[in-house]
Amino acid sequence: MSENTFPVYTADAIVNFYRTEVLTGQEAKHFNKTDLTPAPKPETVQTLYMRVLHLLYRFRPECHSMVPMLENIQHPAYHEGATAIMSVYMRRQFLPMCLVYDFSLNDLLAPKQKTLTVLSAIMNFLHFRQQQRADMDRLQAYTKGNLEAERKIEMLTIPPEQQAEADELAAALSELQTNTMHEYQEVNAKNDSLAEWKTKIAEKTQKLQAQVKVDVSNLKEDIGKLKSQIVESPEELKSQMEKMRENVKSIKNSIKETDERGVELQSMVQ
């Protein structure tokens, strides 16, 4: 045989498959590994091919032995064996579907180890046939399910008297989605504005803190100067102290106003 394009199974696997999927009754019960190895038995191999033909074409095995009732045939019983073999051989056309192209009459009369390859090819084809039938069954089931779903959809169609209400609900839903989108856009804009104000507040606070440090430093210098003048001019010292208190109060008020503005902006965004 040429190079195989199908898996060649072991004798055990072949026996198990033909027992369960091809043979029936006593034939399946008595079929075993010794019928195929080391040398295949012609009677067993012929029986397997007959059962395969019956499985594929419903051609009963006993029909292979039927001899035409012609007047010039004497002792037709003597022809039954050869007739059965020739009948099986003449119906070998299915083997090319199994990718077996070199089947000969000798493979029926004196089968050899090649028989395991031929049986593997038939087994592979029967597997494919079973899978194809299962796929067709699933396809029919899916088609039937689709038809039933289409009928149910037709039954679920909105009646004309309810169509106006359905249209109104659809319009309300569309409007709600539009408004929601606008709200999202406004919230995003306010968040952006809040982030910008936070940045400005942070910058202003930083500047105020720097200015406070400078003012405090200046106040310390002024206090130092005033201390040296405290005996000579108490009224001037009192005036300077009052100015310093006003400066400190002004700085505190500025910081407070900045904090309140930040809180107000956060509340507006929320």
Side-chain angles (χ1 to χ4, degrees):
M1 289 187 72
S2 59
E3 185 178 357
N4 299 322
T5 57
F6 52 84
V8 178
Y9 300 96
T10 63
D12 292 328
I14 293 173
V15 169
N16 290 334
F17 175 80
Y18 282 87
R19 270 181 178 175
T20 57
E21 303 294 337
V22 179
L23 298 176
T24 59
Q26 294 297 317
E27 291 177 349
K29 182 178 180 181
H30 294 103
F31 181 54
N32 54 59
K33 186 176 178 179
T34 58
D35 292 324
L36 299 178
T37 57
K41 296 179 181 179
E43 299 82 1
T44 302
V45 173
Q46 294 163 16
T47 299
L48 290 175
Y49 292 147
M50 289 181 184
R51 288 298 180 187
V52 170
L53 288 170
H54 181 227
L55 184 64
L56 294 177
Y57 304 111
R58 313 312 299 172
F59 194 95
R60 297 194 303 273
E62 59 269 18
C63 295
H64 293 286
S65 301
M66 296 177 65
V67 179
M69 297 300 295
L70 300 177
E71 296 180 357
N72 60 347
I73 295 181
Q74 297 182 357
H75 310 292
Y78 295 156
H79 297 267
E80 290 182 356
T83 300
I85 295 174
M86 290 303 300
S87 176
V88 173
Y89 180 69
M90 294 300 293
R91 288 168 178 80
R92 68 188 186 280
Q93 292 90 344
F94 76 97
L95 287 173
M97 292 189 300
C98 306
L99 305 180
V100 176
Y101 304 100
D102 56 352
F103 189 80
S104 65
L105 183 61
N106 195 49
D107 294 322
L108 286 172
L109 297 175
K112 299 180 181 179
Q113 285 300 114
K114 171 187 171 183
T115 301
L116 294 179
T117 303
V118 177
L119 292 177
S120 295
I122 296 173
M123 179 176 169
N124 187 67
F125 174 73
L126 293 178
H127 277 311
F128 166 76
R129 186 168 174 264
Q130 291 174 351
Q131 184 63 43
Q132 191 177 39
R133 283 187 175 180
D135 292 341
M136 288 299 297
D137 292 340
R138 282 196 292 270
L139 178 61
Q140 291 177 357
Y142 294 153
T143 303
K144 182 179 179 181
N146 288 339
L147 293 176
E148 292 179 355
E150 290 176 359
R151 285 195 293 268
K152 290 180 180 179
I153 291 172
E154 291 177 358
M155 294 174 63
L156 292 174
T157 302
I158 301 175
E161 58 273 13
Q162 297 179 0
Q163 186 63 47
E165 183 180 357
D167 293 340
E168 184 179 352
L169 291 174
L173 177 60
S174 177
E175 183 180 359
L176 178 60
Q177 290 176 341
T178 302
N179 292 337
T180 302
M181 184 60 67
H182 290 163
E183 292 292 338
Y184 283 147
Q185 292 174 352
E186 290 179 2
V187 169
N188 291 333
K190 289 180 179 179
N191 287 335
D192 294 340
S193 178
L194 176 61
E196 184 179 354
W197 275 106
K198 284 183 176 179
T199 302
K200 291 181 179 179
I201 291 170
E203 292 176 353
K204 189 171 183 180
T205 301
Q206 186 176 5
K207 290 179 180 179
L208 286 173
Q209 289 175 346
Q211 185 62 41
V212 168
K213 289 181 180 180
V214 173
D215 292 342
V216 170
S217 178
N218 292 335
L219 287 173
K220 287 181 178 180
E221 291 180 359
D222 292 340
I223 290 171
K225 292 177 180 179
L226 290 172
K227 283 182 179 179
S228 63
Q229 301 173 1
I230 196 168
V231 176
E232 297 178 359
S233 181
E235 291 82 5
E236 185 178 354
L237 175 61
K238 183 178 180 180
S239 176
Q240 292 292 335
M241 291 295 292
E242 190 65 29
K243 288 181 181 180
M244 285 189 289
R245 290 192 188 96
E246 292 296 331
N247 289 338
V248 171
K249 183 178 180 180
S250 176
I251 293 170
K252 289 182 177 180
N253 288 336
S254 179
I255 295 174
K256 182 179 179 181
E257 289 176 0
T258 303
D259 293 339
E260 290 176 352
R261 180 57 178 168
V263 173
E264 181 183 352
L265 290 172
Q266 291 179 349
S267 299
M268 289 174 61
V269 172
Q270 293 175 358

